[in-house]
Amino acid sequence: MKKISLLLGIMVLGFSFPAKGQWIPQSPSTDKIVESTPPEQLYVHINSTLFFPGEYLLYKVYTIDGSVGKVKNISQIANVELISETGEQIFLQKVSLENGVGQADFFVPTTVPSGNYKLIAYTNWMRNFGDTFFTQDVVIINPYQAQQKNLLKKRDNFPHFQDSPEFETTRDQRNLMSLNKEVYGNREKVPIEISTGSGNRKGNYSLSVRKVSQLPAIERVTAEQLVNSWQKVGVESNKFFLPEVRGQVLKGRIIPVNGETGARLDDRHISLSLPGEKMFPLIVATDEDGRFFFNLDQKRIKENIFLEILGEGKEDFEIELQKYEPLNFDPSQFSSYSLLPEMQEEILKRSIFNQIENAYFQVKPDTLVSASRDTGFHKSIEVRYDLDDYKRFKTVPETFVEIIGSAWIRRNENGERVFEVRGLGNSINMEQLPMILIDGVLIQEHNDLIELPAQNIKSISIIRKKIFRGPQIFQGAILVQTNDEEFSNFYKKPYITHIQLNRPEIKKKYFHQMYSDVNSEKRIPDYRYQLLWMPKLEINGSGKTIELYTSDVEGEFEVVLEGFTEEGDPVSIRKTFSVQ
């Protein structure tokens, strides 16, 4: 805990960073962070290494604290990429890490061509330590595209891929997972018994039950293989990547619009607001070089963001965000999977099954896990006026005079109309203006609200308490909700930058097929290859029983349990059964 506190303190006390890339120059300050912060290592349990369009690449991320060897995260965000042999990025997903673990998935579309790919997982902190990323070779076969050149290359040393790539379960783990028999029928219940054994096997795990591919497949990296091969390395770059210890970091700087070199850039206030959300904006100040950064709360999952330069002279500057610095991978590091003529029948069969399953997706849906959001204020301090409950007035000034209490419009020393909110205890502070939010967007020009047609407004809420947001203080707040909540779609100002941020993936609860009455659901086809994906499986001292049902697909299936005990010991167990 002391190490993390020191790290946070150094970050808060004043780092500057360049506008290009997700890094800062290496310095004595960064050396202190390296000395005080343990290294991280990621393991990713992936459900397969061979995918077709219409299938899900499912995965769970485990973070290992290198100083103690246990599942425990320093970073709050993991980055997971899928890249091709040519360096094309198929996806970059950000995964929230809680208690050292996170989960996400990727639906393979028909636009992704056949080829050899690399799944790469890392944290921003890991980019300081050279080649320490988690990597897994993945193959995609896309029969819906005519061009298959990526998998038809002549391979001088085409490796032998087994039909069923297996890993050997260690002797002390073999009896930790068991099935009641080896052969099951279609749509039959399969109970999986997971025990803790004689040792302490309490921990965090993930469970995958999937048909063993009849096509050659690449070996999947196991938790045990990763831990046994990991080695700590020193800093290998003159660039220093800031760890995301408090959530996702958004960095940028302000630059003069006219290119003036002598313009003062420090102590300019920048706000971040979330359109459509009734949340207080985040506000930070720039450093002497005009640079700023926001630590984004994990619970703020919106992608639509407004960045706004505040105060006088705001029109003289514009915002420039840092760009992501891509990874570089040598194509020779990719697998050399190739299509063979004898694969045609199995490719056709699997493609048909996928199409049928996707046609019935609505009756087998995954569900999103809703996240609670920190709005920054409690409803108990808010007085809300739903305007339909009152006589409607044509203008906002009339509405405030006739309906809204503790707030009014006055003219300032420049003759401009501004809002004012009475403080608690009926105090009036004319030096501090209220915060104004319309559909979650921070409004600096009060006249923009004054001129808004009153018939477009659904409700107005007043908060009389002082509001402290970073370096700025507001005397209360006026929160306006429009009828369609689309104010942000047409609100444009030169000092506002509207961005779509790549936010962490939303957790899902994956579909778990249950057959209480097989006959009643007989008309719905069931061609699932993935019988079960359970990314969140916590095992206590008494063990656990997991039940699932087979599908109409016959053949060999594998049950794979991956994860780590509370003591940091890796667990990798594989069992198989047949469906006939």
Side-chain angles (χ1 to χ4, degrees):
M1 181 61 70
K2 290 183 178 179
K3 293 180 179 180
I4 301 299
S5 298
L6 175 60
L7 171 60
L8 288 172
I10 294 175
M11 290 179 65
V12 170
L13 287 176
F15 262 131
S16 63
F17 40 83
K20 182 179 180 181
Q22 299 289 326
W23 51 272
I24 63 175
Q26 193 171 357
S27 67
S29 295
T30 64
D31 292 340
K32 289 182 181 179
I33 294 182
V34 172
E35 293 173 2
S36 63
T37 308
E40 287 181 309
Q41 178 68 13
L42 295 186
Y43 170 67
V44 180
H45 178 194
I46 186 173
N47 65 323
S48 180
T49 59
L50 178 63
F51 297 94
F52 281 49
E55 296 180 349
Y56 276 93
L57 187 162
L58 305 165
Y59 64 90
K60 178 176 180 177
V61 180
Y62 296 84
T63 316
I64 303 165
D65 184 332
S67 63
V68 295
K70 295 182 179 181
V71 175
K72 177 183 177 183
N73 56 293
I74 299 163
S75 301
Q76 297 292 319
I77 298 291
N79 302 289
V80 180
E81 295 189 38
L82 186 69
I83 60 175
S84 69
E85 289 182 276
T86 60
E88 180 185 1
Q89 186 184 82
I90 305 304
F91 70 76
L92 167 60
Q93 293 182 333
K94 292 186 174 294
V95 181
S96 295
L97 299 173
E98 297 180 15
N99 300 318
V101 296
Q103 66 183 68
D105 60 62
F106 174 70
F107 181 79
V108 181
T110 57
T111 54
V112 178
S114 298
N116 294 284
Y117 294 87
K118 186 81 72 173
L119 185 79
I120 307 166
Y122 58 94
T123 64
N124 217 37
W125 178 238
M126 290 171 63
R127 298 191 71 170
N128 296 303
F129 300 96
D131 189 15
T132 61
F133 302 163
F134 173 88
T135 61
Q136 170 70 66
D137 286 305
V138 170
V139 173
I140 294 177
I141 298 177
N142 187 346
Y144 306 109
Q145 292 188 4
Q147 182 57 262
Q148 301 291 331
K149 64 178 181 179
N150 294 333
L151 293 182
L152 292 176
K153 297 177 182 178
K154 183 179 179 181
R155 311 285 183 177
D156 295 331
N157 56 343
F158 180 63
H160 174 67
F161 295 102
Q162 297 180 350
D163 290 348
S164 175
E166 300 179 6
F167 60 85
E168 183 178 353
T169 303
T170 56
R171 185 180 301 274
D172 64 336
Q173 296 180 5
R174 289 176 184 172
N175 297 323
L176 298 181
M177 185 170 69
S178 61
L179 305 171
N180 64 341
K181 56 183 180 178
E182 296 181 353
V183 180
Y184 297 87
N186 297 120
R187 305 195 181 194
E188 183 178 349
K189 182 191 293 186
V190 180
I192 303 172
E193 296 288 342
I194 302 175
S195 66
T196 57
S198 57
N200 180 14
R201 296 295 173 180
K202 294 181 182 179
N204 201 311
Y205 302 91
S206 43
L207 183 68
S208 174
V209 183
R210 184 178 177 86
K211 187 179 187 301
V212 175
S213 176
Q214 292 181 264
L215 298 171
I218 297 171
E219 182 181 3
R220 186 181 56 79
V221 179
T222 70
E224 195 160 22
Q225 290 171 346
L226 180 91
V227 171
N228 291 337
S229 63
W230 183 66
Q231 294 181 345
K232 181 179 178 180
V233 296
V235 176
E236 296 186 3
S237 173
N238 58 358
K239 299 176 181 178
F240 183 81
F241 291 85
L242 288 170
E244 295 176 300
V245 296
R246 295 168 60 188
Q248 185 177 358
V249 177
L250 177 65
K251 311 181 189 110
R253 68 172 182 173
I254 59 170
I255 56 176
V257 174
N258 57 9
E260 181 183 349
T261 57
R264 183 174 176 178
L265 302 176
D266 66 314
D267 201 30
R268 304 292 311 195
H269 294 181
I270 311 295
S271 74
L272 183 153
S273 54
L274 305 176
E277 297 294 321
K278 194 167 65 174
M279 293 184 179
F280 288 155
L282 304 176
I283 299 178
V284 298
T286 59
D287 67 7
E288 60 184 5
D289 296 315
R291 296 164 182 146
F292 63 87
F293 72 88
F294 289 95
N295 280 297
L296 303 183
D297 191 324
Q298 302 289 69
K299 296 178 181 179
R300 297 174 183 260
I301 60 175
K302 294 283 289 187
E303 298 177 349
N304 187 19
I305 286 178
F306 270 37
L307 293 177
E308 189 169 348
I309 303 172
L310 307 182
E312 295 183 5
K314 52 186 174 293
E315 298 89 354
D316 300 332
F317 300 92
E318 62 183 357
I319 293 174
E320 180 182 83
L321 294 177
Q322 285 190 342
K323 296 180 180 179
Y324 169 76
E325 185 168 304
L327 305 176
N328 293 316
F329 265 84
D330 185 347
S332 64
Q333 297 177 332
F334 285 73
S335 64
S336 52
Y337 194 96
S338 292
L339 292 175
L340 300 174
E342 55 266 31
M343 298 179 182
Q344 181 176 352
E345 183 178 349
E346 177 61 23
I347 290 174
L348 177 61
K349 177 181 176 182
R350 185 161 163 179
S351 299
I352 292 173
F353 284 174
N354 283 339
Q355 291 181 55
I356 295 174
E357 275 298 290
N358 284 308
Y360 285 87
F361 177 76
Q362 289 186 342
V363 297
K364 306 176 183 181
D366 300 327
T367 56
L368 299 179
V369 179
S370 60
S372 59
R373 297 183 182 178
D374 178 14
T375 63
F377 65 91
H378 299 285
K379 288 186 177 181
S380 59
I381 65 173
E382 169 193 359
V383 178
R384 177 185 171 99
Y385 298 87
D386 291 305
L387 298 191
D388 282 344
D389 294 341
Y390 303 85
K391 177 185 175 181
R392 281 281 187 172
F393 295 90
K394 292 183 178 180
T395 68
V396 168
E398 288 178 297
T399 301
F400 268 76
V401 169
E402 301 295 339
I403 299 175
I404 310 301
S406 300
W408 58 90
I409 300 172
R410 66 172 176 86
R411 291 192 179 272
N412 62 16
E413 62 274 13
N414 297 323
E416 300 168 332
R417 292 184 296 177
V418 295
F419 286 91
E420 191 161 353
V421 171
R422 190 185 305 277
L424 297 177
N426 293 323
S427 62
I428 298 176
N429 187 343
M430 300 181 67
E431 295 181 359
Q432 292 176 346
L433 295 177
M435 174 191 296
I436 297 179
L437 298 178
I438 302 180
D439 291 341
V441 177
L442 181 63
I443 305 299
Q444 295 186 69
E445 310 296 336
H446 287 203
N447 207 54
D448 292 339
L449 173 55
I450 293 172
E451 298 296 332
L452 188 68
Q455 66 266 24
N456 293 347
I457 298 176
K458 180 179 180 180
S459 68
I460 298 174
S461 298
I462 303 297
I463 296 176
R464 296 173 60 186
K465 185 178 180 180
K466 278 187 182 292
I467 298 171
F468 299 84
R469 303 306 289 170
Q472 197 144 334
I473 304 173
F474 298 89
Q475 174 47 55
I478 300 174
L479 313 177
V480 177
Q481 181 183 2
T482 64
N483 293 324
D484 54 14
E485 298 187 58
E486 294 182 352
F487 178 80
S488 63
N489 292 343
F490 61 85
Y491 189 66
K492 311 294 181 184
K493 297 287 183 179
Y495 48 83
I496 293 179
T497 300
H498 183 198
I499 65 172
Q500 291 291 322
L501 190 64
N502 184 11
R503 293 292 285 136
E505 299 295 305
I506 302 175
K507 288 184 180 180
K508 290 181 181 178
K509 183 177 180 181
Y510 293 95
F511 177 73
H512 189 169
Q513 179 69 64
M514 303 294 287
Y515 284 117
S516 56
D517 183 355
V518 176
N519 292 326
S520 66
E521 301 182 54
K522 196 171 183 178
R523 62 183 181 83
I524 300 176
D526 187 353
Y527 292 112
R528 289 173 296 128
Y529 270 52
Q530 186 78 44
L531 300 183
L532 180 69
W533 171 250
M534 189 174 290
K536 185 178 181 180
L537 177 58
E538 296 179 353
I539 298 177
N540 54 33
S542 59
K544 187 164 290 190
T545 300
I546 307 297
E547 293 182 347
L548 62 100
Y549 283 81
T550 62
S551 65
D552 296 333
V553 178
E554 298 181 347
E556 185 180 16
F557 287 77
E558 64 176 2
V559 183
V560 176
L561 180 73
E562 294 281 4
F564 296 84
T565 68
E566 290 180 342
E567 301 302 318
D569 297 325
V571 173
S572 300
I573 306 175
R574 181 180 186 270
K575 299 281 186 179
T576 61
F577 64 87
S578 296
V579 176
Q580 298 179 2

mmCIF file of all heavy atoms in Angstrom, residues 542-559:
data_model
loop_
_atom_site.group_PDB
_atom_site.id
_atom_site.type_symbol
_atom_site.label_atom_id
_atom_site.label_comp_id
_atom_site.label_asym_id
_atom_site.label_seq_id
_atom_site.Cartn_x
_atom_site.Cartn_y
_atom_site.Cartn_z
ATOM 1 N N SER A 542 -15.244 -25.339 0.298
ATOM 2 C CA SER A 542 -16.096 -26.512 0.098
ATOM 3 C C SER A 542 -16.213 -26.939 -1.358
ATOM 4 O O SER A 542 -16.922 -27.895 -1.669
ATOM 5 C CB SER A 542 -17.502 -26.218 0.645
ATOM 6 O OG SER A 542 -18.063 -25.095 -0.015
ATOM 7 N N GLY A 543 -15.557 -26.244 -2.266
ATOM 8 C CA GLY A 543 -15.648 -26.603 -3.669
ATOM 9 C C GLY A 543 -16.942 -26.122 -4.294
ATOM 10 O O GLY A 543 -17.694 -25.337 -3.710
ATOM 11 N N LYS A 544 -17.247 -26.624 -5.501
ATOM 12 C CA LYS A 544 -18.426 -26.136 -6.216
ATOM 13 C C LYS A 544 -18.837 -27.145 -7.280
ATOM 14 O O LYS A 544 -18.009 -27.865 -7.841
ATOM 15 C CB LYS A 544 -18.116 -24.787 -6.858
ATOM 16 C CG LYS A 544 -19.301 -24.096 -7.498
ATOM 17 C CD LYS A 544 -19.005 -22.625 -7.750
ATOM 18 C CE LYS A 544 -18.932 -21.843 -6.454
ATOM 19 N NZ LYS A 544 -18.881 -20.380 -6.681
ATOM 20 N N THR A 545 -20.156 -27.185 -7.551
ATOM 21 C CA THR A 545 -20.694 -28.012 -8.630
ATOM 22 C C THR A 545 -21.282 -27.100 -9.704
ATOM 23 O O THR A 545 -22.126 -26.253 -9.410
ATOM 24 C CB THR A 545 -21.783 -28.966 -8.121
ATOM 25 O OG1 THR A 545 -21.226 -29.825 -7.122
ATOM 26 C CG2 THR A 545 -22.331 -29.811 -9.264
ATOM 27 N N ILE A 546 -20.839 -27.278 -10.942
ATOM 28 C CA ILE A 546 -21.325 -26.498 -12.072
ATOM 29 C C ILE A 546 -22.116 -27.432 -12.982
ATOM 30 O O ILE A 546 -21.634 -28.512 -13.337
ATOM 31 C CB ILE A 546 -20.167 -25.861 -12.864
ATOM 32 C CG1 ILE A 546 -19.240 -25.070 -11.934
ATOM 33 C CG2 ILE A 546 -20.701 -24.984 -13.982
ATOM 34 C CD1 ILE A 546 -19.886 -23.904 -11.264
ATOM 35 N N GLU A 547 -23.313 -27.017 -13.372
ATOM 36 C CA GLU A 547 -24.130 -27.829 -14.265
ATOM 37 C C GLU A 547 -24.297 -27.137 -15.613
ATOM 38 O O GLU A 547 -24.475 -25.917 -15.677
ATOM 39 C CB GLU A 547 -25.506 -28.087 -13.645
ATOM 40 C CG GLU A 547 -25.458 -28.957 -12.400
ATOM 41 C CD GLU A 547 -26.843 -29.239 -11.841
ATOM 42 O OE1 GLU A 547 -27.802 -28.561 -12.279
ATOM 43 O OE2 GLU A 547 -26.968 -30.127 -10.984
ATOM 44 N N LEU A 548 -24.236 -27.922 -16.676
ATOM 45 C CA LEU A 548 -24.456 -27.408 -18.021
ATOM 46 C C LEU A 548 -25.157 -28.481 -18.833
ATOM 47 O O LEU A 548 -25.293 -29.629 -18.383
ATOM 48 C CB LEU A 548 -23.133 -27.012 -18.672
ATOM 49 C CG LEU A 548 -22.102 -28.137 -18.871
ATOM 50 C CD1 LEU A 548 -22.120 -28.641 -20.305
ATOM 51 C CD2 LEU A 548 -20.708 -27.651 -18.503
ATOM 52 N N TYR A 549 -25.608 -28.108 -20.021
ATOM 53 C CA TYR A 549 -26.282 -29.058 -20.900
ATOM 54 C C TYR A 549 -25.552 -29.131 -22.234
ATOM 55 O O TYR A 549 -25.083 -28.117 -22.759
ATOM 56 C CB TYR A 549 -27.735 -28.649 -21.127
ATOM 57 C CG TYR A 549 -28.640 -28.977 -19.962
ATOM 58 C CD1 TYR A 549 -28.695 -28.141 -18.852
ATOM 59 C CD2 TYR A 549 -29.419 -30.130 -19.967
ATOM 60 C CE1 TYR A 549 -29.517 -28.436 -17.778
ATOM 61 C CE2 TYR A 549 -30.247 -30.435 -18.898
ATOM 62 C CZ TYR A 549 -30.290 -29.586 -17.804
ATOM 63 O OH TYR A 549 -31.099 -29.894 -16.743
ATOM 64 N N THR A 550 -25.468 -30.337 -22.769
ATOM 65 C CA THR A 550 -24.873 -30.516 -24.088
ATOM 66 C C THR A 550 -25.832 -29.976 -25.150
ATOM 67 O O THR A 550 -26.987 -29.650 -24.867
ATOM 68 C CB THR A 550 -24.572 -31.997 -24.356
ATOM 69 O OG1 THR A 550 -25.803 -32.734 -24.329
ATOM 70 C CG2 THR A 550 -23.620 -32.557 -23.315
ATOM 71 N N SER A 551 -25.352 -29.896 -26.378
ATOM 72 C CA SER A 551 -26.159 -29.381 -27.483
ATOM 73 C C SER A 551 -26.463 -30.509 -28.466
ATOM 74 O O SER A 551 -26.277 -31.689 -28.149
ATOM 75 C CB SER A 551 -25.406 -28.246 -28.179
ATOM 76 O OG SER A 551 -24.216 -28.739 -28.780
ATOM 77 N N ASP A 552 -26.901 -30.147 -29.665
ATOM 78 C CA ASP A 552 -27.155 -31.142 -30.707
ATOM 79 C C ASP A 552 -25.886 -31.492 -31.481
ATOM 80 O O ASP A 552 -25.926 -32.323 -32.393
ATOM 81 C CB ASP A 552 -28.213 -30.617 -31.686
ATOM 82 C CG ASP A 552 -29.559 -30.404 -31.003
ATOM 83 O OD1 ASP A 552 -29.823 -31.094 -30.000
ATOM 84 O OD2 ASP A 552 -30.334 -29.548 -31.469
ATOM 85 N N VAL A 553 -24.780 -30.838 -31.126
ATOM 86 C CA VAL A 553 -23.499 -31.107 -31.781
ATOM 87 C C VAL A 553 -22.842 -32.301 -31.103
ATOM 88 O O VAL A 553 -22.746 -32.348 -29.868
ATOM 89 C CB VAL A 553 -22.573 -29.878 -31.702
ATOM 90 C CG1 VAL A 553 -21.219 -30.184 -32.336
ATOM 91 C CG2 VAL A 553 -23.220 -28.676 -32.377
ATOM 92 N N GLU A 554 -22.399 -33.240 -31.901
ATOM 93 C CA GLU A 554 -21.755 -34.435 -31.357
ATOM 94 C C GLU A 554 -20.249 -34.369 -31.568
ATOM 95 O O GLU A 554 -19.752 -33.624 -32.405
ATOM 96 C CB GLU A 554 -22.335 -35.686 -32.019
ATOM 97 C CG GLU A 554 -23.819 -35.864 -31.749
ATOM 98 C CD GLU A 554 -24.388 -37.117 -32.388
ATOM 99 O OE1 GLU A 554 -23.690 -37.722 -33.244
ATOM 100 O OE2 GLU A 554 -25.524 -37.497 -32.049
ATOM 101 N N GLY A 555 -19.532 -35.144 -30.770
ATOM 102 C CA GLY A 555 -18.080 -35.165 -30.868
ATOM 103 C C GLY A 555 -17.439 -35.037 -29.499
ATOM 104 O O GLY A 555 -18.080 -35.237 -28.460
ATOM 105 N N GLU A 556 -16.162 -34.689 -29.492
ATOM 106 C CA GLU A 556 -15.409 -34.566 -28.242
ATOM 107 C C GLU A 556 -15.443 -33.120 -27.753
ATOM 108 O O GLU A 556 -15.277 -32.181 -28.532
ATOM 109 C CB GLU A 556 -13.961 -35.008 -28.446
ATOM 110 C CG GLU A 556 -13.149 -35.030 -27.154
ATOM 111 C CD GLU A 556 -11.707 -35.469 -27.366
ATOM 112 O OE1 GLU A 556 -11.260 -35.464 -28.530
ATOM 113 O OE2 GLU A 556 -11.034 -35.800 -26.375
ATOM 114 N N PHE A 557 -15.661 -32.955 -26.447
ATOM 115 C CA PHE A 557 -15.683 -31.640 -25.824
ATOM 116 C C PHE A 557 -14.629 -31.588 -24.716
ATOM 117 O O PHE A 557 -14.293 -32.613 -24.117
ATOM 118 C CB PHE A 557 -17.064 -31.342 -25.235
ATOM 119 C CG PHE A 557 -18.111 -31.040 -26.276
ATOM 120 C CD1 PHE A 557 -18.686 -32.063 -27.020
ATOM 121 C CD2 PHE A 557 -18.505 -29.741 -26.519
ATOM 122 C CE1 PHE A 557 -19.643 -31.800 -27.985
ATOM 123 C CE2 PHE A 557 -19.465 -29.455 -27.481
ATOM 124 C CZ PHE A 557 -20.040 -30.486 -28.215
ATOM 125 N N GLU A 558 -14.121 -30.395 -24.458
ATOM 126 C CA GLU A 558 -13.126 -30.224 -23.405
ATOM 127 C C GLU A 558 -13.642 -29.269 -22.338
ATOM 128 O O GLU A 558 -14.331 -28.293 -22.629
ATOM 129 C CB GLU A 558 -11.803 -29.706 -23.970
ATOM 130 C CG GLU A 558 -11.866 -28.320 -24.580
ATOM 131 C CD GLU A 558 -10.505 -27.813 -25.034
ATOM 132 O OE1 GLU A 558 -9.523 -28.569 -24.911
ATOM 133 O OE2 GLU A 558 -10.430 -26.659 -25.499
ATOM 134 N N VAL A 559 -13.308 -29.594 -21.097
ATOM 135 C CA VAL A 559 -13.604 -28.736 -19.951
ATOM 136 C C VAL A 559 -12.270 -28.200 -19.459
ATOM 137 O O VAL A 559 -11.390 -28.973 -19.062
ATOM 138 C CB VAL A 559 -14.307 -29.524 -18.827
ATOM 139 C CG1 VAL A 559 -14.667 -28.590 -17.676
ATOM 140 C CG2 VAL A 559 -15.538 -30.237 -19.357
#
